[in-house]
Amino acid sequence: MTLNISQKLISGHLINGKLKPGSEISIRIDQTLTQDATGTMAYLQFEAIGIPRVKTEVSVSYVDHNLLQTDFRNADDHLYLQSVAAKYGLYFSRPGNGVSHQVHLERFGKPAKTLLGSDSHTPTGGGLGMLAIGAGGLDVAMAMAGRPFNLKMPRVVGVELTGKLSPWVSAKDIVLEVIRRLTVKGGVGRILEYYGPGVETLDVPSRAAICNMGTEAGATSSVFPSDRVTREFLKSQGRESDWIELSADTGAGYDEIIKIDLSSLEPLIAQPSSPDRVVKVSEISGRQVSQVILGSCANSSLRDLLVAARVLEGRTIHPDVSFEINPGSRQVLENLAAGSGYLSLVKAGARIHQPGCLGCIGMGQAPATGTVSLRTFTRNFPGRSGTNDDRVFLCSPEVAVAAAITGAITDPRELGEYPDVKQPAELLLDDSMIISPVENTGELEIVRGPNIQPLPQMDPLPVDVEGTVLLKVGDNISTDDIMPAGAKILPLRSNVPAISEFVFSRINPSFAGRAKSAGGGFVVGGENYGQGSSREHAALAPRYLGVKAVIAKSYARIHKSNLVNFGILPLEFKHSSDYDGIKMDARVKIISVRDKIKDGQVTLTAEVDGREILVRLDVSDREREILISGGLLNYAKGL
Ligand code: MIC
Ligand code: SF4
């Protein structure tokens, strides 16, 4: 039987199930990663599972999101995470060492391994030929405890790359083209597997950038072969021995195919406020820009920063532009500083920050009212930058630097000769900001400052569920809408009662108060409900407020699993026309829901203001048990 890369990776780790798209499979997880914003909760859950040491080959705890320390809270979380890592045998990547995905690619990722991360951009590892998947923190905690990861076998989309990129066109343009074609929901339930002669023209940072943003199309993962280029990258990291070859068998097929001729691509840009609102830069050039930021796990590699540095040599940025740089890792920063790149950026007027997520998740760098911000980031959901009514565009480093120079959206091909920047073959390597695991950790104490609050207890599913519709929302509601992030709310990630006050706060500020006084209720959504991040707080905090079920037209993968993990029923309209008939405050009742779920019923009858509609519960038998137990932790404790 001939297999594509995704099928090889899955069958090499398969514990249960068959490679039949849509059916439930369990896979063994070799590596895990967490970041601080999801990590505190993940480790509180890991502690609750009660295992003395992680059971994976490699588990790394990164601190990259909550870097602003405006009071004790984020600093408390950092200490908690460091002490947990020491106690349970994890690597700890210290604050300032860089964005999890960039550092993991550089120092830990290995071809043919599986990686589960509590961050939706974990698929970045696909650039090295890993099967890298984003999940909720609780799923990652389970994987650290040695349990398999469960998911629906994805359909494998072959993305055939032919030709070669033209000057000033780069990896971001390839993935923006993929997102343009698929939209933010076209990748749900799919792995995007890249193949064809264009693959060998792309270096690993470029491949990683492409895999990183497959997430924006809703994909479960994205993956490249592991070839000569991968070997060179690992060699430059002093890790050539981690390389193995990985390619699809000759004649292997795909469930669907997308074809992209790299030679025909032009510089692209995603307009506010969705990553799929992609147009050619040339179509909207001339719009005034007041902020440009180069950074995020999509585009903050050494290659990306060196391109900017070379273009800016001997130039200065436009006086109306704030040009900011968030290096992806200390390795990137050190190597930039070792050459002439750092100096040319500073001389040009760049504001260079510490390595980390920073403005990508609203930890500072909010743009001014009514202004355009061009970012090389991953997502531009409304208000995510920290400014309401923001106008954030997503683009490549080439397009970003062109705007920094001209003060307007500019086709970078107008800048003249393209600097042909390559990732250096020899790099300065320095792991002094990564603390390695040690043995005999029994005596070590975990540091719990006042920001670390215990996990809330969850009751099992009641016999009937009943309540009012607390909120009705439209299509593509993101987890940034459900549980906003930013400098004010992120420090509350380890304090569920406090963070729950902010559920839906951007789009419906009275939500938390109404949910509490009504004793909970229902949320009604459109297509692709819960797109975007892996943050389980978008399920956990509504659950804390008493939300019993969401009824939506369809769901994003990670959020649907998170709803199940926290005991919220992820129901779907059987007839999507019923969505129109439901109003805010409608009274909803599902009688004997517990027994029906136990009996394996897929279609359930819900009474909405006395009228009956049909809803579907499309989950596996295991997920039914989890829902009945009131969530995954209760379920796991009962095993
Ligand atoms: C994001 O980019 O939205 C985040 C912040 O990295 C999230 C994780 C989180 O909310 O903590 C993600 O992508 O999963
Ligand atoms: Fe950090 Fe932004 Fe990447 Fe999320 S998308 S991990 S916030 S850099």
Short mmCIF file of all heavy atoms in Angstrom, two decimals, residues 35-39 65 101 118-122 135 215-216 297 357 360-361 378-379 381 384 479-480 483 485 490 493 532-537 558, ligand 1:
data_model
loop_
_atom_site.label_atom_id
_atom_site.label_comp_id
_atom_site.label_asym_id
_atom_site.label_seq_id
_atom_site.Cartn_x
_atom_site.Cartn_y
_atom_site.Cartn_z
N GLN A 35 2.75 26.93 26.17
CA GLN A 35 3.22 28.30 26.38
C GLN A 35 2.55 28.81 27.65
O GLN A 35 1.62 28.17 28.14
CB GLN A 35 2.96 29.17 25.13
CG GLN A 35 1.63 28.93 24.42
CD GLN A 35 0.49 29.74 24.95
OE1 GLN A 35 0.56 30.27 26.05
NE2 GLN A 35 -0.56 29.86 24.17
N ASP A 36 3.02 29.94 28.16
CA ASP A 36 2.56 30.35 29.49
C ASP A 36 1.07 30.67 29.58
O ASP A 36 0.45 30.40 30.61
CB ASP A 36 3.39 31.53 30.00
CG ASP A 36 3.52 32.66 28.98
OD1 ASP A 36 3.38 32.40 27.77
OD2 ASP A 36 3.77 33.80 29.39
N ALA A 37 0.49 31.24 28.50
CA ALA A 37 -0.91 31.67 28.60
C ALA A 37 -1.86 30.48 28.68
O ALA A 37 -2.94 30.57 29.26
CB ALA A 37 -1.27 32.57 27.42
N THR A 38 -1.47 29.36 28.09
CA THR A 38 -2.29 28.15 28.23
C THR A 38 -1.65 27.19 29.23
O THR A 38 -2.29 26.28 29.73
CB THR A 38 -2.41 27.40 26.88
OG1 THR A 38 -1.10 27.16 26.38
CG2 THR A 38 -3.21 28.20 25.87
N GLY A 39 -0.37 27.41 29.51
CA GLY A 39 0.41 26.44 30.28
C GLY A 39 0.01 26.35 31.74
O GLY A 39 -0.03 25.25 32.30
N HIS A 65 4.17 34.51 25.92
CA HIS A 65 3.00 35.37 25.73
C HIS A 65 2.92 36.50 26.76
O HIS A 65 2.83 37.66 26.43
CB HIS A 65 1.71 34.55 25.84
CG HIS A 65 1.37 33.75 24.62
ND1 HIS A 65 2.15 32.73 24.17
CD2 HIS A 65 0.32 33.81 23.78
CE1 HIS A 65 1.59 32.20 23.08
NE2 HIS A 65 0.48 32.84 22.82
N HIS A 101 7.04 28.26 19.15
CA HIS A 101 7.13 27.54 17.87
C HIS A 101 8.49 27.74 17.19
O HIS A 101 9.04 26.82 16.60
CB HIS A 101 5.99 27.97 16.94
CG HIS A 101 4.67 27.92 17.63
ND1 HIS A 101 4.19 26.75 18.17
CD2 HIS A 101 3.76 28.88 17.95
CE1 HIS A 101 3.02 27.00 18.76
NE2 HIS A 101 2.75 28.28 18.65
N SER A 118 -0.17 23.15 23.29
CA SER A 118 -1.36 23.89 23.74
C SER A 118 -1.34 25.28 23.11
O SER A 118 -1.42 26.30 23.79
CB SER A 118 -1.41 23.96 25.27
OG SER A 118 -0.32 24.70 25.76
N ASP A 119 -1.20 25.29 21.82
CA ASP A 119 -1.24 26.53 21.06
C ASP A 119 -1.59 26.17 19.63
O ASP A 119 -1.06 25.19 19.09
CB ASP A 119 0.12 27.24 21.10
CG ASP A 119 0.00 28.65 20.56
OD1 ASP A 119 -0.03 28.79 19.32
OD2 ASP A 119 -0.11 29.59 21.36
N SER A 120 -2.48 26.95 19.04
CA SER A 120 -3.01 26.55 17.73
C SER A 120 -1.96 26.57 16.62
O SER A 120 -2.15 25.97 15.57
CB SER A 120 -4.18 27.45 17.34
OG SER A 120 -3.72 28.77 17.13
N HIS A 121 -0.83 27.28 16.85
CA HIS A 121 0.19 27.33 15.79
C HIS A 121 1.27 26.26 15.93
O HIS A 121 2.30 26.32 15.26
CB HIS A 121 0.79 28.74 15.70
CG HIS A 121 -0.22 29.70 15.15
ND1 HIS A 121 -0.88 30.61 15.93
CD2 HIS A 121 -0.72 29.83 13.91
CE1 HIS A 121 -1.75 31.27 15.19
NE2 HIS A 121 -1.68 30.82 13.96
N THR A 122 1.00 25.26 16.75
CA THR A 122 1.92 24.13 16.89
C THR A 122 2.28 23.49 15.53
O THR A 122 3.41 23.01 15.37
CB THR A 122 1.32 23.10 17.87
OG1 THR A 122 1.05 23.78 19.10
CG2 THR A 122 2.24 21.93 18.12
N ALA A 135 -3.82 21.82 20.41
CA ALA A 135 -4.93 21.24 21.19
C ALA A 135 -5.12 22.07 22.45
O ALA A 135 -4.29 22.92 22.79
CB ALA A 135 -4.60 19.80 21.57
N THR A 215 -3.15 26.87 10.07
CA THR A 215 -4.10 27.02 11.17
C THR A 215 -5.18 28.05 10.84
O THR A 215 -6.33 27.90 11.24
CB THR A 215 -3.32 27.46 12.44
OG1 THR A 215 -2.39 26.42 12.75
CG2 THR A 215 -4.22 27.72 13.62
N GLU A 216 -4.80 29.08 10.12
CA GLU A 216 -5.78 30.14 9.79
C GLU A 216 -6.85 29.63 8.83
O GLU A 216 -7.90 30.24 8.69
CB GLU A 216 -5.07 31.35 9.20
CG GLU A 216 -4.59 32.36 10.23
CD GLU A 216 -3.86 31.79 11.42
OE1 GLU A 216 -2.79 31.19 11.21
OE2 GLU A 216 -4.34 31.93 12.56
N CYS A 297 5.09 34.07 15.45
CA CYS A 297 5.57 32.74 15.09
C CYS A 297 5.50 32.48 13.60
O CYS A 297 6.10 31.53 13.10
CB CYS A 297 4.80 31.68 15.87
SG CYS A 297 3.02 31.82 15.72
N CYS A 357 5.82 36.92 21.84
CA CYS A 357 4.60 37.15 21.05
C CYS A 357 4.22 38.63 20.99
O CYS A 357 3.73 39.13 19.99
CB CYS A 357 3.43 36.39 21.66
SG CYS A 357 3.65 34.62 21.73
N CYS A 360 1.27 40.55 18.99
CA CYS A 360 0.44 39.58 18.26
C CYS A 360 -0.76 39.16 19.10
O CYS A 360 -1.80 38.82 18.56
CB CYS A 360 1.28 38.38 17.85
SG CYS A 360 0.34 37.19 16.91
N ILE A 361 -0.59 39.19 20.40
CA ILE A 361 -1.72 38.83 21.27
C ILE A 361 -2.11 40.02 22.16
O ILE A 361 -2.66 39.89 23.24
CB ILE A 361 -1.41 37.53 22.06
CG1 ILE A 361 -2.66 36.95 22.71
CG2 ILE A 361 -0.24 37.68 23.02
CD1 ILE A 361 -3.81 36.72 21.76
N THR A 378 -0.06 36.35 12.37
CA THR A 378 -0.89 35.23 11.92
C THR A 378 -2.36 35.59 11.74
O THR A 378 -3.04 35.06 10.90
CB THR A 378 -0.86 34.12 12.98
OG1 THR A 378 -1.25 34.72 14.22
CG2 THR A 378 0.53 33.53 13.13
N ARG A 379 -2.87 36.44 12.63
CA ARG A 379 -4.31 36.69 12.64
C ARG A 379 -4.59 38.16 12.90
O ARG A 379 -3.80 38.83 13.55
CB ARG A 379 -5.05 35.87 13.70
CG ARG A 379 -4.26 34.99 14.61
CD ARG A 379 -5.18 34.17 15.49
NE ARG A 379 -5.22 32.81 15.02
CZ ARG A 379 -5.09 31.73 15.79
NH1 ARG A 379 -4.95 31.87 17.09
NH2 ARG A 379 -5.13 30.53 15.29
N PHE A 381 -8.01 39.24 13.86
CA PHE A 381 -9.41 39.29 14.29
C PHE A 381 -9.69 40.66 14.94
O PHE A 381 -8.79 41.25 15.55
CB PHE A 381 -9.71 38.17 15.28
CG PHE A 381 -9.51 36.79 14.71
CD1 PHE A 381 -8.90 35.80 15.45
CD2 PHE A 381 -9.94 36.48 13.43
CE1 PHE A 381 -8.71 34.52 14.94
CE2 PHE A 381 -9.75 35.20 12.90
CZ PHE A 381 -9.13 34.22 13.66
N ARG A 384 -8.14 42.35 18.37
CA ARG A 384 -7.07 41.53 18.95
C ARG A 384 -5.82 42.35 19.25
O ARG A 384 -5.05 42.05 20.16
CB ARG A 384 -6.77 40.39 17.97
CG ARG A 384 -5.66 39.45 18.40
CD ARG A 384 -5.59 38.29 17.40
NE ARG A 384 -4.29 37.65 17.44
CZ ARG A 384 -4.03 36.47 18.02
NH1 ARG A 384 -4.99 35.79 18.59
NH2 ARG A 384 -2.82 35.97 18.01
N THR A 479 -12.17 32.56 19.04
CA THR A 479 -11.97 32.47 20.49
C THR A 479 -11.53 33.81 21.05
O THR A 479 -11.67 34.06 22.24
CB THR A 479 -10.94 31.39 20.84
OG1 THR A 479 -9.76 31.67 20.11
CG2 THR A 479 -11.44 30.00 20.51
N ASP A 480 -11.01 34.70 20.20
CA ASP A 480 -10.71 36.06 20.67
C ASP A 480 -12.01 36.82 20.96
O ASP A 480 -12.04 37.71 21.80
CB ASP A 480 -9.90 36.84 19.62
CG ASP A 480 -8.42 36.51 19.67
OD1 ASP A 480 -7.80 36.68 20.72
OD2 ASP A 480 -7.87 36.04 18.65
N MET A 483 -13.29 34.67 24.40
CA MET A 483 -12.46 34.91 25.59
C MET A 483 -11.30 35.80 25.16
O MET A 483 -10.23 35.31 24.79
CB MET A 483 -11.96 33.55 26.10
CG MET A 483 -11.17 33.59 27.40
SD MET A 483 -12.19 33.89 28.85
CE MET A 483 -11.99 35.65 29.09
N ALA A 485 -8.07 38.23 24.74
CA ALA A 485 -6.74 38.15 25.38
C ALA A 485 -6.29 39.59 25.69
O ALA A 485 -7.06 40.38 26.20
CB ALA A 485 -5.79 37.42 24.45
N LEU A 490 -5.08 38.62 29.83
CA LEU A 490 -4.19 37.45 29.83
C LEU A 490 -3.62 37.09 31.21
O LEU A 490 -3.50 35.91 31.54
CB LEU A 490 -3.04 37.65 28.84
CG LEU A 490 -3.32 37.23 27.39
CD1 LEU A 490 -2.17 37.68 26.49
CD2 LEU A 490 -3.52 35.73 27.26
N ARG A 493 -5.29 34.19 33.26
CA ARG A 493 -5.47 32.84 32.72
C ARG A 493 -5.38 31.75 33.79
O ARG A 493 -5.89 30.65 33.60
CB ARG A 493 -4.41 32.56 31.64
CG ARG A 493 -4.65 33.26 30.31
CD ARG A 493 -5.70 32.56 29.51
NE ARG A 493 -5.95 33.20 28.23
CZ ARG A 493 -5.42 32.83 27.08
NH1 ARG A 493 -4.55 31.84 27.05
NH2 ARG A 493 -5.76 33.44 25.96
N GLY A 532 -9.77 29.89 15.45
CA GLY A 532 -8.61 30.62 15.98
C GLY A 532 -7.84 29.81 17.00
O GLY A 532 -7.40 28.70 16.71
N SER A 533 -7.73 30.34 18.19
CA SER A 533 -6.75 29.82 19.14
C SER A 533 -7.19 28.49 19.77
O SER A 533 -8.32 28.04 19.61
CB SER A 533 -6.54 30.83 20.26
OG SER A 533 -7.54 30.68 21.23
N SER A 534 -6.26 27.93 20.54
CA SER A 534 -6.53 26.68 21.26
C SER A 534 -6.97 26.97 22.69
O SER A 534 -7.17 26.04 23.46
CB SER A 534 -5.24 25.86 21.31
OG SER A 534 -4.30 26.53 22.14
N ARG A 535 -7.10 28.25 23.07
CA ARG A 535 -7.29 28.57 24.50
C ARG A 535 -8.52 27.87 25.06
O ARG A 535 -9.65 28.09 24.63
CB ARG A 535 -7.35 30.08 24.71
CG ARG A 535 -8.51 30.80 24.10
CD ARG A 535 -8.32 32.32 24.15
NE ARG A 535 -7.28 32.73 23.23
CZ ARG A 535 -7.25 33.89 22.59
NH1 ARG A 535 -8.19 34.78 22.79
NH2 ARG A 535 -6.29 34.18 21.75
N GLU A 536 -8.31 27.02 26.05
CA GLU A 536 -9.43 26.28 26.61
C GLU A 536 -10.29 27.17 27.49
O GLU A 536 -11.43 26.83 27.82
CB GLU A 536 -8.94 25.04 27.37
CG GLU A 536 -7.98 25.33 28.47
CD GLU A 536 -7.26 24.06 28.93
OE1 GLU A 536 -7.66 22.97 28.55
OE2 GLU A 536 -6.29 24.19 29.69
N HIS A 537 -9.75 28.34 27.84
CA HIS A 537 -10.54 29.29 28.64
C HIS A 537 -11.80 29.71 27.89
O HIS A 537 -12.76 30.14 28.51
CB HIS A 537 -9.70 30.52 28.97
CG HIS A 537 -8.46 30.16 29.74
ND1 HIS A 537 -7.39 29.57 29.14
CD2 HIS A 537 -8.15 30.30 31.05
CE1 HIS A 537 -6.45 29.35 30.04
NE2 HIS A 537 -6.89 29.78 31.21
N ILE A 558 -10.43 22.59 17.29
CA ILE A 558 -9.89 22.61 18.66
C ILE A 558 -10.96 23.08 19.65
O ILE A 558 -11.11 22.53 20.74
CB ILE A 558 -8.63 23.50 18.79
CG1 ILE A 558 -7.58 23.14 17.75
CG2 ILE A 558 -8.04 23.39 20.20
CD1 ILE A 558 -6.32 24.00 17.80
C1 MIC B 1 -3.05 33.01 19.60
O1 MIC B 1 -2.25 33.23 18.72
O2 MIC B 1 -4.27 33.26 19.51
C2 MIC B 1 -2.53 32.39 20.89
C3 MIC B 1 -2.60 33.45 21.93
O3 MIC B 1 -1.21 31.99 20.74
C4 MIC B 1 -3.42 31.19 21.23
C5 MIC B 1 -3.16 30.58 22.54
C6 MIC B 1 -3.73 31.32 23.70
O4 MIC B 1 -4.83 31.89 23.62
O5 MIC B 1 -3.11 31.30 24.77
C7 MIC B 1 -3.38 30.08 20.18
O6 MIC B 1 -3.04 30.33 19.05
O7 MIC B 1 -3.77 28.94 20.48
#
